[in-house]
Amino acid sequence: MFNLQGTIHPFRKTHRSIFGKLVQEFRLVSSDRRSWRILLFGALNLLCTGCLLMWCSSTNSMALTAYTYLTIFDLFSLITCLISSWVTMKKPSQVYSFGFERLEVLAVFASTVLVQLGALFILKESVERFMEQPEVHTGRLLVGTFVALFFNLLTLLSVRNKPFSYVSEGTVTPPHSLLTQTVCVLCLCGIIPGLSSVLLPRMNPFVLINMAGALSLCITYMLIEINNYNAVDTASAVAIALMTFGTMYPMSVYSGKVLLQTTPSHIIGQLDKLLREVSTLDGVLEVRNEHFWTVGFGSLAGSAHVRIRRDANEQLVLAHVTNRLLPLVSTLTVQIFKDDWTRPLLTGALSSSASIAPLGPAEGYAALSSSSLPPMLMSSGGELDPLTSTPAKPSSPPPEFAFDTPGRNVQPVVLPAPGHHAHRPYGGLGLPYGAPPYTGMMNQGLARPGGGLGLGPHFPNHICIFPCPLIGN
Amino acid sequence: MEEKYSSNVLSGGKLGMVEVPNSRLTRYIVLLVVTKVLKALGIFESYDILKVVHIVHFIFILKLGSAVILLFFQKPFSSGKVISKRQWIKLLKHAVFSCVISLLGFFGLTLCGPLRTLLLFEHSDVVVIALLGVLFTSSGGGPSKTRGAALFIIAVICLLLFDNDDLMAKMAEHPEGHHDSALTHFLYTAIAFLGVADHKGGVVLLVASLCLKVGFHTASRKLSVEIGGAKRLYALDNLVSAMVLLPWVIVLSATTESKVESWSSLILPFGMIIFSVMILEFYVEAVCSAKMETPRCARYGTIALFLSALLLANFWTHPLTDQLRSMSKPPQQVSTEHVLSGGVLVSAVFFIMSSSILSSPSKKGQKGTLVGYSPEGTPLYNFMGDALQHTSQSLPRFIKESLKQILEEYDSRQIFYFLCLNLAFTFVELFYGVWTNSLGLISDGFHMLFDCSALVLGLFAALMTRWKATRIFSYGYGRVEILSGFINGLFLMVIAFFVFMESVTRVLDPPNINTDMLTPVSVGGLLVNLVGICAFSHAHSHGGKSCSSHDHGHSHSEHSHGGHGHSHGGHGHSHGGHGHGHGGHGHGGHGHSHGSGGGGMNANMRGVFLHVLADTLGSVGVIISTILIRQFGWLIADPICSLFIATLIFLSVIPLLKDACEVLLLRSPPENEKDLNSALEKIEKIEGVLSYRDPHFWRHSANMIAGTIHLQIMSDVVEQRIVQQVTAILKDAGVNNLSVQVEKEAYFQHMSGLSTGFQEVLAMTQQMETIKYLKDGTCIM
């Protein structure tokens, strides 16, 4: 599945021709009916943008230029749309093992950042214009405004833009654009207090910014026509640029955080709860190196290292941890690790295989974590019957071996894992620190109580965790 | 009682002095604001009157008028205790001083114009005392006060240096021309003796008299207690100073002829000035400082005064107001008006900021320690000592710390030095532009500033990279660098786009370019950028030292060099070629240095480097096109060069963007691909391993490759041993942040037992089947 043949193949392909590949992908996208619509709008948009850019240079109006950039942003959002429909068709390749969902995020990020850079450029130009205001010709100004507004609204309302709508409204804590919030605050102050809570989620920030931009252009037109007050043009360009920032900035921050592989802050509460649950599972000592992040919009991926007690069953703990986290984190990797696993376990471990059966069930395990049953030793060599995983009563008696032979009496014994002695770099016998090549991996820093508990291996971490009543046994 | 106090503190949301709620004070604040606006109006009016009336006359009339009104209101003789002879003498001294100060103030007004006078002279005592405290005593008010003082000084300097006032220049031409009296003449000579220009002398004069005024107010406090109240003192003071000025006025009117045509037309403006400047302001100030705390009063008052002054300055000379005023007096020659320049605006903003900082109550002695919790669960604080000191973090210390961080590492140090150089150049350009009023220079300075933003971004990213990992950024901040490289790449794309658009329009219609100023500026910019290129390309080759065998990059750079030589005419082209080669080169080196597992890949530095390169291209383009236009008059050369530059920038950015995209899309690192494949093969061959699934490897940041993998092993193998082996193998392949999930058959059984839903059980059993299948597969192998 991940062999050499597979690696060479795509390489040859890319070397053949990038252009051909692009055409191929384009065919793939255009095979879908819905993307035809997007393409049509894209062509319209391109035409409109070209016209507007020409009018911008003929009117010499900064505000119209700033407004044109919003049209260009619409073009970007259409491209994002195309990308997202392409993404849904693509399967993860071996190089892009997480799939192409992230491309959507990247497209959103790139388009918002590009528009903001354009707005920055507008700001810079406006500062220069404030010093020497050139004359603005109003001839095409109003026409351009309405053409741009019409096409923008047409594009926005007729093409459903999944990624952007996700960013602007779909998330649990949507990064409301500053503009939307401002409008809502105005509503709150002015008319009805309840209006903002109704409006806030519904308002499309893009429609809002388009309307506001068109309004400011109209005002510009009027003032220039009536008073010949050319500086208004620059001022409204600044206003549009600032509004663009206000709308785009939260989105680019949101998508940028996804790209930076951060834990989404609205998930953190839920995650913390789950991790706390995990750490109370029986046998789990701690959870560390937890990394959780979003792959595309929505799907969470993550990995964590779970340190467990030396005598706990790795597979069982793994299954429980995975079971807890899997509903939230779809791509999950849990690494289980033990300290000092090279040292032998209890002698009783050998006899424990028989007693494993009743411990498998889910309920039983859950009950175990709170009950006073002794921690189970599940030898890695233990054979498990598939049936054991089905729910069963946890009423079976505690295994015999439990603490009849307390740890301090135990002498180093052969590990209960036959058949691998030949490959081990360290002797199978009780050499506690006998794994030099790999010691870096293990956490050696844990405190080991000195000889206080007697000879042989002690159980530094769990001596105190053992339920007391059983020691009395 | 205590509870009430604590809840009050909390409701304010801050741990400061408990301020009286605004609602109760609103009317006083409104009153104060209205008064200040009226005062500003009065000062503007008096500036106009001072053009016709001699200053001594003017002050005499003011003092006399207000004395009459105040005598009427206060009745200083009929009420209160009798004033002794000694007190009369003190009063006389006091009046002389107040006359001198008013003279200085109004003389400053004639020199600087109303707006500047208001900005400089009308600071409340609290502000000035705080300022002097910061400047002359070691224990100021903490860093925030220092900040305020610094702002104040900057504002004064702005007024001194960057205020291009046409009128002032005009007056400086013949300073001896229209001096009416010995006094003004004396002051003029004094200012000339100081060696500063005329209007700047006015600024200095006003600052000095401001200090005098504050000192005078402080000194007069004792006297006012003696006399019996500040109001009585004020009334008497006005009267006495009017009497002091009387002889001078008589002498003056006897010796010089007045320019005033009709005194009757001036009665109304004088009445207004006396009312707004002398009487109303005094009473309202007194009332407000009694009702509110003085600092607050000062804050609101100053802000209102300055803002209204700015507004008035904008509209005073407006035709509309002229029409209004022409009803009361004949239209005057308005050619000699003080204009509203950028320097004044900036300094007004600074003055407002500094006065609001300086007049804010000192936070000293309000340290809160948590004492306990009130019954409602709100924390109670005990205020003592100075615990809130840390809330206003010292700016110098912050700068020092971040500087230390910046200088610690090579990358950020390089960026920082270059940024400093660039900023220095920019500011020299800007200052010179403002000084000489050259628009071209100023706009080029802004352009440079715009470019600097990319550098700032890069610097910030380089700093952030070293931050410690947090809960949200669980892998650390290393990836910020890649994102910043990506953004810088996008930035360059945008720049290329704009240059392209601009040049397309210019190809169609080549404009006439004025090339006088451009050459020195662009040569300077070129030098600065060349330094940057040297610094950053060094970092580059350092990063990719193992790239010498990379033929592709080299040939590429050769090629573009050829292009350079060829089209010397195509201005930026030459350097573009050069830079492009560099880019390709660095890129090639990149991949290789990665393979060697180093921390070579630094998208951030690449982005910054490309940016500097693009700047260099720009200045080279300007130089070459200037030469071409001058020598041959080819106006079309400029847009064509720009086209070339845009294309080159675009082409050189593509590799950077591609690499950054790959990293951001979590592609498995191409330079480690071979190692990873062989590592996976090795893993499959480990004894006990049946198969693996979901191998994810991706580059997280320059020096971290993260990975996750799920292994299926036989039931009789110790998991931890497998984990160790796999980790070691993958570490050799370059993966340094790994999670291995080791699964046995038991795991799938547990999982299917645990999962309650049918779907999940189905999925699990399917996975189990695959595992079995794979087991067979491996058996066959």
Side-chain angles (χ1 to χ4, degrees):
Chain A
M1 97 201 240
F2 198 99
N3 47 19
L4 220 61
Q5 189 65 35
T7 11
I8 289 170
H9 190 56
F11 256 83
R12 215 186 283 146
K13 216 171 177 180
T14 44
H15 275 294
R16 204 174 53 197
S17 97
I18 294 171
F19 188 72
K21 210 180 168 194
L22 267 178
V23 168
Q24 187 198 339
E25 300 295 349
F26 185 76
R27 282 219 188 96
L28 181 70
V29 173
S30 58
S31 61
D32 192 1
R33 271 279 141 214
R34 271 168 303 177
S35 47
W36 274 109
R37 190 182 163 123
I38 299 174
L39 286 175
L40 175 72
F41 275 105
L44 270 180
N45 202 307
L46 216 54
L47 200 73
C48 165
T49 310
C51 268
L52 279 172
L53 281 177
M54 260 158 56
W55 288 341
C56 284
S57 64
S58 77
T59 54
N60 199 16
S61 157
M62 208 71 221
L64 190 61
T65 318
Y67 200 60
T68 310
Y69 291 163
L70 288 180
T71 319
I72 295 179
F73 172 74
D74 276 345
L75 193 65
F76 289 147
S77 73
L78 285 177
I79 293 172
T80 311
C81 244
L82 271 189
I83 284 175
S84 82
S85 72
W86 177 74
V87 159
T88 50
M89 289 178 219
K90 277 299 249 198
K91 292 274 175 301
S93 73
Q94 64 188 25
V95 201
Y96 293 94
S97 55
F98 284 103
F100 291 88
E101 268 177 85
R102 282 202 141 214
L103 197 57
E104 226 173 58
V105 187
L106 193 69
V108 169
F109 180 76
S111 46
T112 48
V113 165
L114 279 176
V115 167
Q116 284 180 70
L117 289 174
L120 193 67
F121 206 83
I122 294 280
L123 282 184
K124 182 206 117 195
E125 291 275 305
S126 308
V127 169
E128 283 171 19
R129 277 200 177 199
F130 265 125
M131 280 177 276
E132 191 180 31
Q133 177 65 44
E135 201 179 335
V136 177
H137 312 283
T138 51
R140 293 271 164 71
L141 194 60
L142 217 52
V143 186
T145 308
F146 284 114
V147 167
L149 179 67
F150 177 70
F151 275 102
N152 282 352
L153 290 184
L154 195 70
T155 319
L156 279 173
L157 299 179
S158 53
V159 176
R160 179 168 157 61
N161 199 333
K162 191 175 63 111
F164 273 100
S165 60
Y166 184 87
V167 178
S168 59
E169 57 198 51
T171 45
V172 180
T173 47
H176 283 307
S177 82
L178 301 179
L179 188 63
T180 331
Q181 275 173 356
T182 319
V183 170
C184 286
V185 167
L186 288 182
C187 286
L188 197 71
C189 298
I191 321 159
I192 321 159
L195 193 63
S196 76
S197 60
V198 183
L199 268 180
L200 197 55
R202 304 268 166 85
M203 209 157 16
N204 185 341
F206 304 112
V207 173
L208 193 67
I209 191 181
N210 274 314
M211 297 299 245
L215 189 71
S216 71
L217 268 171
C218 287
I219 293 172
T220 309
Y221 175 78
M222 277 186 343
L223 281 176
I224 293 177
E225 278 288 287
I226 297 168
N227 290 356
N228 205 16
Y229 203 45
N230 282 318
V232 176
D233 178 66
T234 315
S236 81
V238 169
I240 293 176
L242 289 180
M243 282 192 292
T244 314
F245 270 118
T247 311
M248 301 301 167
Y249 179 73
M251 286 183 211
S252 53
V253 164
Y254 183 82
S255 49
K257 276 195 170 167
V258 172
L259 290 178
L260 285 179
Q261 288 195 306
T262 57
T263 316
S265 45
H266 57 272
I267 302 278
I268 272 198
Q270 232 173 325
L271 258 181
D272 268 342
K273 205 173 134 240
L274 285 180
L275 287 178
R276 232 176 293 131
E277 269 178 41
V278 163
S279 61
T280 53
L281 285 175
D282 189 31
V284 175
L285 295 176
E286 63 170 336
V287 181
R288 58 162 91 154
N289 293 344
E290 64 265 35
H291 302 294
F292 294 99
W293 41 277
T294 36
V295 179
F297 287 124
S299 57
L300 216 60
S303 64
H305 290 194
V306 177
R307 191 161 70 88
I308 59 168
R309 241 174 17 221
R310 224 156 68 89
D311 53 353
N313 183 338
E314 292 190 14
Q315 295 303 314
L316 192 57
V317 172
L318 179 64
H320 275 280
V321 171
T322 314
N323 185 46
R324 291 286 151 90
L325 291 175
L326 209 55
L328 190 67
V329 186
S330 49
T331 313
L332 182 67
T333 308
V334 177
Q335 176 170 343
I336 302 283
F337 72 99
K338 291 178 177 177
D339 295 316
D340 291 342
W341 58 273
T342 49
R343 277 181 298 141
L345 291 172
L346 295 172
T347 19
L350 287 171
S351 66
S352 70
S353 29
S355 64
I356 284 166
L359 295 166
E363 290 168 24
Y365 204 83
L368 268 179
S369 59
S370 55
S371 76
S372 61
L373 283 180
M376 283 305 118
L377 281 178
M378 303 212 146
S379 88
S380 43
E383 285 277 11
L384 274 183
D385 191 324
L387 284 174
T388 53
S389 287
T390 52
K393 280 191 192 171
S395 56
S396 62
E400 296 245 317
F401 72 89
F403 283 96
D404 289 340
T405 53
R408 67 183 79 150
N409 294 335
V410 177
Q411 294 301 314
V413 214
V414 178
L415 269 175
H420 290 289
H421 297 280
H423 302 286
R424 272 188 208 150
Y426 33 83
L429 295 185
L431 304 171
Y433 307 113
Y438 304 119
T439 36
M441 281 302 299
M442 307 305 289
N443 188 353
Q444 297 281 26
L446 284 164
R448 285 205 178 78
L453 286 167
L455 358 143
H458 347 289
F459 305 89
N461 298 308
H462 22 114
I463 278 288
C464 46
I465 300 171
F466 284 171
C468 293
L470 282 163
I471 293 177
N473 273 355
Chain B
M1 180 65 205
E2 205 174 82
E3 254 181 61
K4 196 180 172 197
Y5 179 67
S6 73
S7 70
N8 225 342
V9 168
L10 284 171
S11 68
K14 49 190 159 186
L15 305 167
M17 248 197 282
V18 183
E19 292 199 336
V20 188
N22 269 329
S23 55
R24 228 183 299 165
L25 294 175
T26 312
R27 52 195 154 137
Y28 293 108
I29 292 171
V30 169
L31 192 65
L32 188 67
V33 169
V34 169
T35 316
K36 291 295 178 182
V37 173
L38 278 179
K39 175 165 184 183
L41 204 64
I43 295 283
F44 272 83
E45 189 74 45
S46 47
Y47 173 70
D48 279 352
I49 290 180
L50 273 173
K51 281 179 194 158
V52 279
V53 181
H54 191 274
I55 183 167
V56 182
H57 283 152
F58 179 80
I59 292 171
F60 172 71
I61 293 172
L62 281 197
K63 296 270 180 191
L64 189 65
S66 51
V68 168
I69 298 175
L70 284 169
L71 284 182
F72 182 70
F73 277 115
Q74 287 306 124
K75 302 184 179 64
F77 295 108
S78 54
S79 66
K81 53 189 174 183
V82 185
I83 299 160
S84 68
K85 197 162 190 179
R86 274 191 46 181
Q87 282 170 342
W88 274 114
I89 293 171
K90 274 186 186 173
L91 206 57
L92 188 69
K93 280 187 204 161
H94 185 264
V96 170
F97 266 111
S98 80
C99 279
V100 169
I101 286 167
S102 339
L103 264 178
L104 286 177
F106 282 106
F107 186 66
L109 176 66
T110 58
L111 283 182
C112 294
L115 172 62
R116 292 158 182 82
T117 310
L118 280 173
L119 285 182
L120 280 169
F121 195 57
E122 297 299 330
H123 286 281
S124 97
D125 297 356
V126 190
V127 174
V128 181
I129 287 169
L131 173 73
L132 294 178
V134 170
L135 289 184
F136 297 112
T137 60
S138 53
S139 64
S144 70
K145 296 277 170 186
T146 318
R147 230 171 286 157
L151 280 177
F152 194 95
I153 291 168
I154 290 172
V156 173
I157 289 173
C158 263
L159 270 190
L160 271 179
L161 297 185
F162 302 109
D163 185 12
N164 292 307
D165 197 331
D166 290 341
L167 171 64
M168 291 173 171
K170 209 170 285 172
M171 278 167 69
E173 280 167 18
H174 31 207
E176 313 294 321
H178 52 283
H179 292 168
D180 298 330
S181 70
L183 173 73
T184 41
H185 184 76
F186 167 72
L187 281 170
Y188 270 117
T189 45
I191 288 165
F193 179 72
L194 277 176
V196 283
D198 209 28
H199 67 285
K200 287 166 193 171
V203 172
V204 175
L205 184 76
L206 280 176
V207 172
S209 54
L210 172 67
C211 295
L212 264 185
K213 184 180 85 167
V214 173
F216 169 70
H217 280 180
T218 320
S220 69
R221 219 167 270 164
K222 200 176 148 209
L223 186 64
S224 77
V225 174
E226 252 176 66
I227 299 285
K231 288 173 191 167
R232 192 174 183 211
L233 173 67
Y234 190 63
L236 287 173
D237 169 55
N238 271 322
L239 184 68
V240 176
S241 30
M243 288 193 299
V244 167
L245 284 175
L246 184 64
W248 196 355
V249 170
I250 294 170
V251 170
L252 267 183
S253 11
T255 52
T256 59
E257 78 276 25
S258 169
K259 282 195 278 181
V260 186
E261 290 119 29
S262 67
W263 283 97
S264 58
S265 69
L266 287 180
I267 286 176
L268 194 68
F270 262 119
M272 190 253 162
I273 293 168
I274 288 170
F275 175 69
S276 64
V277 179
M278 306 295 282
I279 312 275
L280 187 68
E281 202 230 350
F282 178 74
Y283 277 110
V284 171
E285 282 264 335
V287 170
C288 285
S289 32
K291 296 288 176 190
M292 301 191 275
E293 312 94 67
T294 331
R296 226 168 149 205
C297 180
R299 197 159 62 214
Y300 287 120
T302 324
I303 292 172
L305 187 66
F306 289 171
L307 286 182
S308 56
L310 277 179
L311 272 182
L312 280 174
N314 200 16
F315 291 115
W316 196 252
T317 53
H318 201 269
L320 202 70
T321 33
D322 267 354
Q323 279 171 13
L324 283 179
R325 278 186 298 164
S326 63
M327 283 185 282
S328 57
K329 61 185 169 191
Q332 279 190 331
Q333 190 63 276
V334 283
S335 63
T336 58
E337 281 303 330
H338 290 272
V339 289
L340 194 63
S341 76
V344 177
L345 272 181
V346 171
S347 77
V349 170
F350 277 142
F351 269 127
I352 289 174
M353 271 154 59
S354 78
S355 68
S356 72
I357 290 174
L358 284 175
S359 64
S360 66
S362 171
K363 290 269 193 278
K364 242 183 184 172
Q366 291 166 25
K367 162 96 179 166
T369 43
L370 188 67
V371 201
Y373 290 91
S374 71
E376 301 102 65
T378 51
L380 296 174
Y381 292 95
N382 181 24
F383 287 95
M384 54 189 291
D386 39 7
L388 290 180
Q389 212 53 357
H390 62 90
T391 50
S392 73
Q393 201 194 1
S394 167
L395 199 62
R397 195 187 304 148
F398 173 72
I399 291 174
K400 214 165 105 191
E401 271 167 17
S402 38
L403 263 187
K404 214 173 111 197
Q405 275 190 338
I406 288 169
L407 295 183
E408 260 170 17
E409 211 163 275
Y410 183 79
D411 283 358
S412 51
R413 205 168 47 218
Q414 292 284 336
I415 301 179
F416 179 70
Y417 286 149
F418 183 64
L419 182 68
C420 284
L421 187 66
N422 220 333
L423 278 181
F425 182 73
T426 309
F427 277 108
V428 165
E429 205 175 43
L430 272 179
F431 281 171
Y432 194 72
V434 174
W435 190 280
T436 57
N437 242 346
S438 146
L439 269 179
L441 269 184
I442 294 175
S443 74
D444 194 69
F446 273 112
H447 188 83
M448 292 281 282
L449 218 54
F450 180 66
D451 285 340
C452 282
S453 59
L455 284 180
V456 171
L457 180 75
L459 181 64
F460 193 62
L463 259 188
M464 261 179 106
T465 310
R466 294 207 292 281
W467 289 0
K468 292 249 160 51
T470 61
R471 190 69 223 282
I472 302 257
F473 288 77
S474 57
Y475 286 105
Y477 285 79
R479 218 174 160 80
V480 171
E481 218 167 50
I482 287 150
L483 200 69
S484 127
F486 183 70
I487 295 176
N488 259 335
L490 289 182
F491 201 147
L492 282 170
M493 294 269 268
V494 170
I495 287 177
F497 170 76
F498 282 121
V499 171
F500 190 83
M501 294 301 296
E502 185 78 16
S503 51
V504 164
T505 50
R506 284 197 184 178
V507 162
L508 299 178
D509 174 30
N512 211 349
I513 303 167
N514 180 16
T515 52
D516 294 341
M517 212 53 177
L518 286 175
T519 323
V521 171
S522 52
V523 167
L526 175 67
L527 287 180
V528 167
N529 283 320
L530 278 181
V531 171
I533 283 192
C534 289
F536 291 122
S537 67
H538 174 64
H540 244 325
S541 57
H542 190 66
K545 50 184 174 265
S546 61
C547 64
S548 53
S549 65
H550 206 68
D551 278 346
H552 184 62
H554 266 286
S555 68
H556 196 59
S557 74
E558 283 305 314
H559 174 69
S560 22
H561 263 298
H564 164 45
H566 157 68
S567 69
H568 197 68
H571 56 353
H573 193 49
S574 66
H575 265 267
H578 176 64
H580 190 44
H582 254 294
H585 179 74
H587 177 54
H590 242 350
H592 268 271
S593 70
H594 268 317
S596 61
M601 160 93 161
N602 190 337
N604 190 25
M605 289 303 274
R606 272 171 78 190
V608 169
F609 175 73
L610 284 179
H611 214 96
V612 176
L613 203 68
D615 277 2
T616 320
L617 288 189
S619 28
V620 171
V622 169
I623 292 172
I624 291 175
S625 59
T626 311
I627 292 171
L628 282 182
I629 290 170
R630 277 210 189 149
Q631 295 298 114
F632 309 103
W634 294 345
L635 285 180
I636 197 111
D638 178 54
I640 288 180
C641 290
S642 318
L643 270 182
F644 271 116
I645 290 179
T647 325
L648 283 176
I649 293 176
F650 189 79
L651 287 179
S652 63
V653 165
I654 285 178
L656 169 69
L657 276 182
K658 190 172 145 275
D659 285 2
C661 274
E662 280 180 354
V663 176
L664 289 176
L665 289 178
L666 302 178
R667 185 197 200 277
S668 68
E671 59 276 359
N672 293 29
E673 209 155 0
K674 242 178 216 161
D675 295 341
L676 284 174
N677 279 331
S678 61
L680 286 176
E681 271 174 46
K682 257 190 240 169
I683 287 171
E684 270 199 318
K685 285 186 188 135
I686 296 177
E687 193 160 341
V689 174
L690 294 176
S691 68
Y692 60 86
R693 65 180 170 100
D694 297 346
H696 297 298
F697 301 102
W698 71 95
R699 174 174 294 285
H700 180 264
S701 61
N703 42 20
M704 183 197 285
I705 297 179
T708 61
I709 188 169
H710 293 208
L711 291 176
Q712 283 84 43
I713 61 170
M714 290 182 206
S715 346
D716 53 352
V717 185
V718 180
E719 291 97 330
Q720 296 298 317
R721 199 172 53 79
I722 301 288
V723 168
Q724 283 194 351
Q725 288 176 349
V726 168
T727 312
I729 289 171
L730 284 175
K731 195 159 207 161
D732 286 343
V735 181
N736 44 13
N737 187 325
L738 182 70
S739 297
V740 187
Q741 177 164 333
V742 182
E743 298 155 351
K744 291 180 182 174
E745 210 178 333
Y747 164 74
F748 295 104
Q749 288 160 356
H750 289 308
M751 281 308 283
S752 56
L754 283 169
S755 38
T756 43
F758 172 72
Q759 289 298 331
E760 286 144 21
V761 174
L762 198 68
M764 278 300 158
T765 40
Q766 271 169 0
Q767 267 180 342
M768 266 170 71
E769 269 162 25
T770 57
I771 217 183
K772 272 178 187 152
Y773 168 75
L774 279 169
K775 204 196 292 183
D776 296 345
T778 42
C779 283
I780 289 164
M781 261 169 77

